[in-house]
Amino acid sequence: MQKYSNNMKRLTTKEEELMRFFWENNALFVKELLEFYDNPKPHFNTLSTIVRGLEEKGFLSHKTYGNTYQYFAIISEEEYGHGTLRGVISKYFDNSGLRAVSALVQNEKISIEELKKLIREVELKNKQ
């Protein structure tokens, strides 16, 4: 997988939805994407346009089979998540991971016990 960089463009909600299909199913043809939708299904051309946009943004690549393309992710979901998190920390927490974690603790999204466990895990990882 390609390394996600901070200057890579953000995904729209629809783009992220399609990327989840690729992350969960690996390589897909556009016509296969239609199977993941309930009726009324999006139009094939709409999905094709979004997929081509994802390729232009550097999230997908393709293999050619005759006159059709099979697309696959070149950015992992984990890489995208980490990049998104870095963007949120930069934008909303003045680029401070400590301020982000503090906000999570203050809003009770993470308990003190979870925080202590995280600290132990980081300390263990740093010793290795």
Side-chain angles (χ1 to χ4, degrees):
M1 292 274 167
Q2 174 178 311
K3 184 79 173 143
Y4 181 91
S5 64
N6 279 338
N7 61 358
M8 189 166 286
K9 296 181 180 177
R10 306 268 32 111
L11 296 177
T12 66
T13 303
K14 283 290 181 198
E15 289 172 333
E16 195 169 312
E17 178 181 72
L18 284 180
M19 283 304 299
R20 290 201 190 289
F21 296 144
F22 287 101
W23 289 325
E24 293 169 5
N25 299 281
N26 300 315
L28 295 165
F29 293 96
V30 174
K31 66 181 178 182
E32 292 175 312
L33 290 170
L34 289 167
E35 299 170 15
F36 298 112
Y37 290 93
D38 295 325
N39 287 324
K41 294 182 184 293
H43 194 277
F44 175 89
N45 290 346
T46 301
L47 292 180
S48 183
T49 299
I50 296 170
V51 166
R52 284 192 315 274
L54 286 166
E55 187 172 28
E56 288 173 16
K57 286 183 174 184
F59 287 89
L60 296 177
S61 188
H62 71 269
K63 293 179 188 172
T64 304
Y65 293 93
N67 62 353
T68 188
Y69 297 146
Q70 185 181 46
Y71 293 90
F72 56 93
I74 56 174
I75 298 292
S76 73
E77 185 173 18
E78 182 179 11
E79 289 169 326
Y80 179 69
H82 286 213
T84 300
L85 180 59
R86 280 191 302 273
V88 167
I89 290 171
S90 174
K91 184 174 182 178
Y92 298 104
F93 297 98
D94 197 28
N95 220 20
S96 169
L98 181 60
R99 286 183 59 193
V101 171
S102 178
L104 290 170
V105 171
Q106 289 173 10
N107 292 309
E108 299 176 21
K109 302 292 184 196
I110 184 172
S111 70
I112 299 298
E113 286 308 311
E114 290 171 314
L115 189 57
K116 287 178 182 178
K117 180 181 175 192
L118 177 62
I119 291 168
R120 286 192 300 270
E121 289 172 4
V122 169
E123 287 175 339
L124 182 63
K125 184 177 179 182
N126 285 339
K127 286 181 182 178
Q128 294 174 349

